[in-house]
Amino acid sequence: MPTNNQAAARPITRLIAPRLALASCVRAFLVRDTTGCAPLTPGQRLNRFPAAPMCSVVWTISGELEAAAPGLTLADVRMPSVLFGGPRSLPLVSYNPGPVHSFVLMFYPSALHALTGIAMGPLLDQFQLFEVLFDAEWQALSQAVLAAPDDEARVALVESFLAPRWQVARQRDDQPASAIQDWVRRLGVQAASNGLASGARNIERRIKAWAGQPMRTLLRMRRAEQLFLDERDAMLKGNISWSDIAAQGGYADQAHFCREVRDITGLSPTELARASRDDESYWIYRIWS
């Protein structure tokens, strides 16, 4: 039987910003820990993520992660303790059969490409075994993350590993890009100025190699994310006009806005507002900033 303190405990869900020197490389660290809270229902143990331009490394520190909807594409429904996930053009759902402690490192994909040479295009909407993609130094980091005593130590390990490597990788371009809208804008400039060939096809090819998705998709995601962040408080309070929001975001009309929200999240704006407020499985929408 759980104690009163256990029964009252909520899942630990945290978004941790990287140190400033890594702000153009790492988008965020995510922590999801349900091991010390009251038991969650099966529906509450789902994890629902929107389509996103970032790529990620997912460590399952304790517990298990399973595929629950298209997007986790390894052969076994039960995922290994370390996974690499590419950029996503579709919403994604995973499932934890019991209590879980997950630690996630989210990269800007062009930064990871600069660090490792890994092309992002073939990894769109894919999850791959970490050891297939990364060399021995990265694998040693991964094992250290799994063995670390707490999440603060995990953040410190990752940042200490990345900082000198990112300093070298970014010497060719030292402009900061600490927010996704700045990153998308900067990516287009980089693609246009890289090398002698600057035709539209060459630029688009570079962007897809670095980011995994075409610029028009990145721009759509950037606009939707910024609008969500600007209006989240009003959404959660139910005090919002979707037609006004569509006009403010530069959409053609409310129907256009609703289609794009559904493409990115799988829900209509009204459904997303309710789920973000009331549904535990939409925890990422409540903490994102």
Side-chain angles (χ1 to χ4, degrees):
M1 293 289 291
T3 66
N4 290 336
N5 286 340
Q6 288 174 319
R10 301 281 299 168
I12 296 172
T13 308
R14 301 169 59 196
L15 182 145
I16 304 169
R19 67 171 73 167
L20 185 59
L22 290 170
S24 56
C25 175
V26 173
R27 178 63 175 88
F29 300 93
L30 294 177
V31 173
R32 175 70 169 172
D33 187 354
T34 66
T35 58
C37 71
L40 300 178
T41 67
Q44 292 173 326
R45 296 198 298 270
L46 291 167
N47 308 286
R48 301 180 186 272
F49 299 95
M54 281 78 71
C55 53
S56 58
V57 182
V58 182
W59 287 274
T60 304
I61 308 301
S62 65
E64 295 177 345
L65 173 69
E66 295 182 355
L72 290 176
T73 51
L74 298 180
D76 192 347
V77 70
R78 185 160 296 173
M79 301 295 111
S81 57
V82 188
L83 275 175
F84 174 80
R88 294 193 304 276
S89 66
L90 300 168
L92 171 70
V93 184
S94 64
Y95 178 69
N96 306 120
V100 70
H101 181 180
S102 296
F103 180 79
V104 182
L105 167 60
M106 301 186 73
F107 281 101
Y108 291 105
S110 59
L112 187 61
H113 175 77
L115 285 167
T116 65
I118 296 172
M120 294 294 113
L123 296 172
L124 179 65
D125 295 322
Q126 298 291 313
F127 275 77
Q128 297 287 337
L129 294 172
F130 186 85
E131 58 267 26
V132 170
L133 295 174
F134 292 87
D135 66 21
E137 289 184 342
W138 285 80
Q139 292 180 45
L141 168 69
S142 179
Q143 292 305 307
V145 167
L146 286 173
D150 53 44
D151 294 313
E152 286 70 24
R154 293 180 182 98
V155 171
L157 281 167
V158 172
E159 290 188 331
S160 295
F161 178 86
L162 291 177
R165 291 166 172 80
W166 183 235
Q167 185 177 15
V168 172
R170 68 179 295 185
Q171 284 177 348
R172 294 184 300 274
D173 179 14
D174 59 1
Q175 301 175 29
S178 58
I180 190 169
Q181 57 264 40
D182 296 328
W183 169 71
V184 171
R185 189 180 304 114
R186 176 169 165 258
L187 190 63
V189 174
Q190 284 179 303
S193 61
N194 186 276
L196 297 177
S198 58
R201 287 187 179 180
N202 289 316
I203 291 171
E204 188 68 19
R205 189 178 301 115
R206 292 189 195 106
I207 290 172
K208 290 187 75 172
W210 297 345
Q213 303 191 71
M215 178 59 78
R216 62 183 179 276
T217 300
L218 299 176
L219 291 170
R220 288 174 58 229
M221 291 182 175
R222 181 194 71 176
R223 174 170 63 174
E225 181 190 50
Q226 189 59 53
L227 195 59
F228 171 78
L229 293 175
D230 290 345
E231 302 298 333
R232 178 171 52 189
D233 288 346
M235 285 174 57
L236 294 177
K237 293 175 182 176
N239 180 25
I240 202 161
S241 164
W242 299 124
S243 59
D244 290 346
I245 295 301
Q248 179 181 326
Y251 294 91
D253 50 30
Q254 183 174 336
H256 177 208
F257 168 66
C258 292
R259 284 195 302 273
E260 294 219 346
V261 172
R262 188 176 290 278
D263 286 345
I264 293 170
T265 71
L267 298 177
S268 71
T270 300
E271 292 168 334
L272 179 62
R274 179 203 58 76
S276 299
R277 184 179 61 247
D278 301 330
D279 190 329
E280 179 63 34
S281 68
Y282 285 84
W283 55 266
I284 185 66
Y285 293 88
R286 291 191 290 277
I287 68 166
W288 195 250
S289 62

